[in-house]
Every structure is written in structure tokens, then in C-alpha cells.
Amino acid sequence: MNQYTVTTTTGDHIQCAGDQSLLDAALRQGVWLPNSCNQGTCGTCTVRVVEGTVDHHDSPHVTLSPTDRTQGLALACQATPSGDIVIEPENGAGGTVATHPLRDFIGTVIAVEDIAADTRKVVLHLDDRIGFTPGQYVELTIPGTTGQRHYSIANVPGPEGMTREIELHIKRHPGGLASDRWAFGALSVGEQVEVSGPLGDFRCSDLESEGGVIMVAGGTGLAPILSILQTLLAAHPDREVHLYQSVRTEEELYARDLLAELAARHPNLVVKPCLTRQLWDGRTGYASEMIVEEFGTLRGWSGYLCGPPALVEAGRRAFKRRRMSPRRIHWEKYTPAVTQDVMLLT
Ligand code: FES
């Protein structure tokens, strides 16, 4: 396969195979490009091709319109180079953001635990240490298939931001290739799985700033929030943090012991479980509405949101309504996996 040079307008030179995405090549060589979904649906990785041409492959038109293409835009997670090219990241990039190169690992399943209704914790021991920033995710190639799925890392890295064990929280989706067939089906301790990571730019970015923090986690969107929360509290034990844990019913709540323990150690941490489809002796309703009711102004505060797109969008609107600075709002949407071209291996 031909090798090409991808040069960024910020001065980085990346070697990229003709069948390799621009994003994959950049991240593996330690060159940061903004990225989120890695499946062509969010647009975070958009770059401008200043010189040369790329193959857009299956870049969805809803994310990259024909006009975008004629204007030289490309999705770095989908596009491959057709020769040597020069690109300009559209969403800001460069060496100011601490990052860990994208790498491949073999993970061995060392623990599987049901932690809530249709929610499973899977712990993988990797064949080498992975470095990641709390909030990032890994890509798993689902055993027995050619399909990949993304799962946020729920634990915190060890010294130097590295660890050999990663904890993932998996929600069951009936009929789902990864969740139903694998994680809630054939998965067993000792099984090996291909892992690539870290990926994504939802991450703990408030270690240097001050002010309160509001976190909103929907379902297993709690996974990266737990990693960010523990990192934040380790750096700033007295920081005021309000965590809205949103699920449909009480049986879907999880990590209650860990959150209670953190709250006991950090009096300024307020954990607010809220149910959207069940009346109980706690909060019932939508986190976004509660935020608007409970806070007069959020100037000087930071916000983290992770979960289903509707929850994230409503939360972002609530933050803005209460005057939180847009640059202090961080979010990750859980979007459905792209499933075409996935094959079962026999
Ligand atoms: S479209 Fe490329 S990271 Fe989302």
C-alpha cells in the first residue's frame, strides 16, 4: 500500500497509508486532531484539504455535504489520502492538548459483573499499559465479528496517566451485535478482545480552573463521568460538584456505593440520582429542568454531559440558559453505532 505524507498547517508531518484514515494516522503518531465519534456522524474531525485530494469513502452526506466537499472539507476519520496532502484542522488542533498516541492492544477479560438492570461491568487487562485522559474511550473489535464498538473508560489511570486495566460499562440493547450477542451472551472471563485507544476529546479539562462543576450522566454515560469526577476530586478535594445521575428507573441506577463513598469524603460533592420514568422517594424528572430550577446563574461554573443525545442537548441548553460559558461546557453524545458492513466470522 502506498504511503503518503500528510502535512498540517500547524507544521506536523504524518505518514499515512493509502488505506488509512487521516485521523488514525495522526493519532497513532501523536499528532492531535479533534475527534469524537470516529464513525463519520459528528463532524468534530473536519479538516480542510488545502493541497492534494482525498477519498471520502462513505462519509455521510448529512455530516459532509456535497458543498462541503467542493469547498475542500473532509472528515479525517473517514478520508484517506490520494497522494501527499496538506490539511488544516477546522476545529482547532495542535500540541497544546495533552494526548496519548492511539495504539492497539489485546485485552483479556478479567471480570464481568452485573451492576444494574441490563448493565454490565467488564474489566480488561491489557497486554501493555495504555495512557488516556479521563473521559476518553476505547474501540473494541467484537469477537467473532468484524464490527467495532466504542466504550468509555470508567476507571482512572495510574501514575503518568497509564494503566493496564480498563473498566467498561455496557448497556444491553436487545438484538445488539456487541451488547446482546457478546457482552450479555458469549462473553466470559479469560476471553481476549482487540482494543484500540484512547480516542475522543471528551475529557477532564478543568484541573486548572476554579468554580463549581455540574455533571450530568445519562445511563452508562456515567462511565466517563466517574473517571473525570475522581480525577477532579483528587486534584481539588474541596471543589463543589453536583452530579445528576439520570436513568429511567431505580433498578438502572449503579455505582451507588462508589458515589456514596466519594460524597462522604468530599462534602462539596452532591450526588443527585434522578429517574425519568418512575416515581420514588427521590427525584423524578429531567436533569436539565432541575438544573434550571436549582441554579440562578452558572457563570464561572463548568459542565460535563454524557449520555443520549436528547439528554446532552437539553443539558447544554440549560447550562447556556443559566449563563455558563460555552467554552466551559464539555459533552459526549452516545450515538448509535454504524452497523453496515459488519460481518459475523464463522
Ligand atoms: S465525524 Fe469524524 S470523529 Fe465524528
Side-chain angles (χ1 to χ4, degrees):
M1 182 54 66
N2 291 332
Q3 287 280 335
Y4 300 114
T5 300
V6 178
T7 303
T8 68
T9 50
T10 48
D12 292 302
H13 301 284
I14 305 156
Q15 296 307 305
C16 186
D19 62 352
Q20 185 178 23
S21 76
L22 307 180
L23 180 65
D24 187 83
L27 295 182
R28 285 182 189 280
Q29 289 164 60
V31 176
W32 176 253
L33 290 181
N35 69 95
S36 183
C37 72
N38 271 283
Q39 57 179 9
T41 55
C42 74
T44 305
C45 65
T46 302
V47 296
R48 184 175 297 280
V49 182
V50 180
E51 288 179 31
T53 58
V54 297
D55 184 336
H56 295 289
H57 295 280
D58 295 327
S59 298
H61 279 203
V62 68
T63 318
L64 189 74
S65 70
T67 306
D68 292 335
R69 294 165 207 237
T70 57
Q71 292 179 344
L73 300 182
L75 300 178
C77 70
Q78 303 297 307
T80 57
S82 305
D84 291 344
I85 61 171
V86 178
I87 61 170
E88 178 180 22
E90 285 286 285
N91 295 316
T96 56
V97 181
T99 187
H100 302 277
L102 173 62
R103 294 175 56 207
D104 299 323
F105 304 87
I106 298 296
T108 302
V109 178
I110 59 170
V112 180
E113 182 186 345
D114 290 320
I115 51 176
D118 287 336
T119 309
R120 196 161 260 199
K121 176 171 87 175
V122 176
V123 182
L124 300 177
H125 181 83
L126 304 180
D127 60 346
D128 198 0
R129 297 194 307 163
I130 184 174
F132 72 96
T133 304
Q136 290 192 292
Y137 68 84
V138 291
E139 179 178 271
L140 267 53
T141 298
I142 304 305
T145 79
T146 60
Q148 279 92 27
R149 292 294 183 270
H150 298 159
Y151 297 105
S152 297
I153 304 171
N155 54 313
V156 292
E160 302 166 20
M162 309 288 285
T163 183
R164 286 187 75 143
E165 288 186 9
I166 55 172
E167 176 182 320
L168 313 176
H169 299 163
I170 301 178
K171 181 75 179 173
R172 181 180 216 154
H173 298 287
L177 173 78
S179 65
D180 218 18
R181 290 181 65 105
W182 180 65
F184 287 82
L187 173 66
S188 60
V189 170
E191 180 173 359
Q192 294 197 319
V193 56
E194 294 174 28
V195 180
S196 298
L199 290 159
D201 54 7
F202 177 62
R203 45 194 175 171
C204 190
S205 340
D206 274 294
L207 294 183
E208 308 305 326
S209 61
E210 296 181 342
V213 179
I214 297 182
M215 298 180 167
V216 181
T220 51
L222 184 63
I225 293 284
L226 284 178
S227 186
I228 291 172
L229 174 65
Q230 292 177 88
T231 303
L232 201 59
L233 291 176
H236 303 281
D238 298 325
R239 192 120 177 219
E240 183 175 357
V241 181
H242 295 249
L243 167 60
Y244 292 82
Q245 184 185 14
S246 176
V247 293
R248 290 171 300 184
T249 61
E250 189 175 5
E251 61 179 8
E252 293 177 325
L253 287 172
Y254 72 93
R256 299 175 86 168
D257 289 348
L258 171 60
L259 290 170
E261 180 197 322
L262 287 171
R265 277 196 280 131
H266 302 277
N268 287 336
L269 168 64
V270 186
V271 180
K272 302 173 177 178
C274 30
L275 309 183
T276 57
R277 300 220 185 135
Q278 182 188 338
L279 291 172
W280 65 320
D281 56 3
R283 294 156 176 265
T284 297
Y286 294 104
S288 55
E289 294 173 2
M290 294 176 197
I291 290 167
V292 171
E293 280 172 20
E294 294 169 11
F295 293 88
T297 176
L298 291 174
R299 281 186 201 277
W301 287 62
S302 299
Y304 291 84
L305 305 128
C306 185
L311 171 139
V312 170
E313 288 307 317
R316 288 175 63 194
R317 281 198 300 274
F319 287 162
K320 287 178 185 167
R321 200 167 151 194
R322 287 293 177 249
R323 300 284 185 266
M324 186 182 289
S325 168
R327 69 182 172 79
R328 295 183 73 161
I329 302 175
H330 314 281
W331 71 92
E332 176 98 293
K333 291 179 196 169
Y334 278 1
T335 51
V338 174
T339 54
Q340 66 262 36
D341 299 333
V342 173
M343 289 169 39
L344 297 178
L345 304 174
T346 54

